[in-house]
Amino acid sequence: MINSIQNTPIITNQGMVQARKNNNNEQVIKPAFGSGKQVDVFWINKLIDSLVDKLPEKTIKENGLLAKAFNACKNFTSPHQRLILGATAIAIQPEIDKNNKDVDEQTREVSAARTAAKAIAGTVTGVPIRALCIKAIEKVTDPKGTSKFSQSFIPNKLAGKAITPEAFEKAFRLVRSHRNSLGTCAALVVMLFTNFLLDVPITKYLTNVFVERNKAKKQAKLEAKGGIQ
Amino acid sequence: MTNSSFTKNIANFVYEHMAKTPGNMLLITGTLGWALSSFAQITGIIGNKKLSSDDKKFLIPQEAFDAAVNIASFFLVTKAFNRLGEKLVDTGRLLTPSLKKELGEKISEIGKKDFSISKLDKFSNNENKTLFNKEASEKYFNFYDGTSFAFSTIGSIISGSIITPIFRNKMAAKRQKQAIAKENIQNQNNNIAPYKPVMPMQNGLSINAYQTKLSPSSGSMKI
């Protein structure tokens, strides 16, 4: 892996590294960018690391439910996660709002209706937006693509003569990280518009529908009991 | 600036500042995303004429606190779960029998400080290409990535669907009470009859009892 040409970047699946000579004229490998030191952005990582150090080993069954679930998840991406989170939000959050004893009953009902509406609106818009953004980013970061836009969002350090399509594939984790970042940014830009154009109107409409439906149900119950409040 | 320069500049910026430090990327985009969504929803609440003023006094702070608590709990809970899943696999504490077999003699190092399967030559394609095994590496990283996704999703459900609603409801309820009390004081100063929120009598509270409870000096109000 020591490259005969000094300082030429080499792709590995950990990222780009350089072969260079240190002050003692020895070949050393160091990351091409930055100090290579893992910067711990989150202090909580240290807490989790020390917790993990205390945990025992656990071997899970090869064809057991857990192993199958974990292996299946490798194919899941942001839209899948959004769908799962949306489904659980619709199931759980309105119930929490309905049981909020810190407010009066009417506020509880309106709050639960709005939470359900927001979860539905967010999922209905969020999942396709994420899926479309990922597809679009794959199309514009494809070193083998033939259209004029195929390589338009491949950064310079992952493009050009030094990097063959095979080397690009080898750096699959760095490439995936770049695509995920681009996709997230693209989704954020799209959401600037869809939040106001889609999410808010859908939430408002569904909130009013759910509130009216709840009122009608209550009225029907009261009439059935024949009682006056 | 040509189109191709424009797209390349964006690609280079994202690569340098986000792809190599995904943690920073999540911090920025996550915060922006939630804040933007919350702002949009608040404008929707304000513009919804079918919601009463009383409801809006709760829903607007609820939405604002939803974003704040979501952001905080994402970094405290979701990231913690994500890290837990990754470290369990990377340190060899959570593996399948076939992956343990791939470790070979390195299996004895599980539990030792700084042991990391991701950095082993067999899996990482670093200096020692002769030891790198593409199939083993793919098998390992598929399991690693899948476990990371599963743990991060569980963390997201706990933080977004359980912790956030509970805390934002409490904070918003407090704000609602403060807003109603302030409105009552203003009405009294203007010699208007105190605001009487509609309360169902079947809860057993008279309007007078409710009004007494509504004063800011009261403790937590249970209705």
Side-chain angles (χ1 to χ4, degrees), chain B residues 157-176:
Chain B
I157 291 170
I158 293 172
S159 79
S161 291
I162 298 174
I163 294 175
T164 296
I166 291 171
F167 278 94
R168 53 110 150 116
N169 282 352
K170 288 208 176 295
M171 292 169 172
K174 200 173 164 186
R175 281 294 169 109
Q176 186 197 35

Side-chain angles (χ1 to χ4, degrees), chain A residues 49-70:
Chain A
D49 291 355
S50 55
L51 171 70
V52 168
D53 284 342
K54 294 177 175 52
L55 292 173
E57 279 175 56
K58 172 85 181 152
T59 307
I60 57 176
K61 284 186 196 165
E62 196 71 44
N63 293 317
L65 190 62
L66 267 182
K68 281 184 182 168
F70 290 152

Side-chain angles (χ1 to χ4, degrees), chain B residues 2-205:
Chain B
T2 62
N3 278 340
S4 62
S5 304
F6 177 68
T7 58
K8 280 293 178 188
N9 285 342
I10 293 175
N12 292 336
F13 178 85
V14 168
Y15 181 75
E16 291 295 334
H17 297 282
M18 292 182 171
K20 286 187 286 173
T21 51
N24 286 346
M25 187 267 295
L26 282 172
L27 182 70
I28 297 164
T29 58
T31 305
L32 277 176
W34 266 306
L36 180 71
S37 171
S38 194
F39 174 71
Q41 289 290 343
I42 287 172
T43 58
I45 294 167
I46 291 169
N48 189 345
K49 294 181 172 49
K50 291 192 178 177
L51 296 174
S52 70
S53 160
D54 209 17
D55 293 333
K56 286 181 187 179
K57 284 186 182 76
F58 176 77
L59 294 175
I60 291 171
Q62 184 195 45
E63 192 56 48
F65 285 122
D66 189 74
V69 178
N70 249 325
I71 292 165
S73 67
F74 173 77
F75 291 112
L76 286 174
V77 178
T78 308
K79 288 301 294 176
F81 269 82
N82 187 27
R83 181 76 173 188
L84 180 67
E86 287 177 351
K87 285 306 268 189
L88 281 172
V89 176
D90 194 40
T91 55
R93 283 179 168 83
L94 182 70
L95 291 173
T96 57
S98 60
L99 282 173
K100 279 205 159 164
K101 202 174 163 188
E102 296 285 356
L103 287 177
E105 58 187 25
K106 295 284 182 187
I107 201 169
S108 58
E109 294 192 27
I110 291 177
K112 286 189 183 171
K113 197 174 157 52
D114 295 335
F115 173 68
S116 165
I117 298 177
S118 307
K119 291 180 184 159
L120 295 176
D121 293 331
K122 188 174 185 181
F123 302 98
S124 72
N125 195 24
N126 269 338
E127 294 103 68
N128 213 330
K129 268 189 182 170
T130 52
L131 292 181
F132 176 68
N133 184 319
K134 191 182 171 199
E135 287 80 27
S137 176
E138 273 181 16
K139 193 175 176 181
Y140 167 73
F141 279 110
N142 283 343
F143 185 75
Y144 176 94
D145 291 337
T147 308
S148 170
F149 181 96
F151 271 76
S152 137
T153 302
I154 292 167
S156 295
I157 291 170
I158 293 172
S159 79
S161 291
I162 298 174
I163 294 175
T164 296
I166 291 171
F167 278 94
R168 53 110 150 116
N169 282 352
K170 288 208 176 295
M171 292 169 172
K174 200 173 164 186
R175 281 294 169 109
Q176 186 197 35
K177 287 171 207 169
Q178 287 170 353
I180 291 171
K182 194 175 168 186
E183 197 174 321
N184 280 342
I185 291 168
Q186 276 175 349
N187 290 340
Q188 279 170 11
N189 289 341
N190 295 337
N191 294 321
I192 299 167
Y195 170 69
K196 294 180 186 179
V198 173
M199 288 300 303
M201 293 302 292
Q202 69 215 32
N203 284 350
L205 272 179

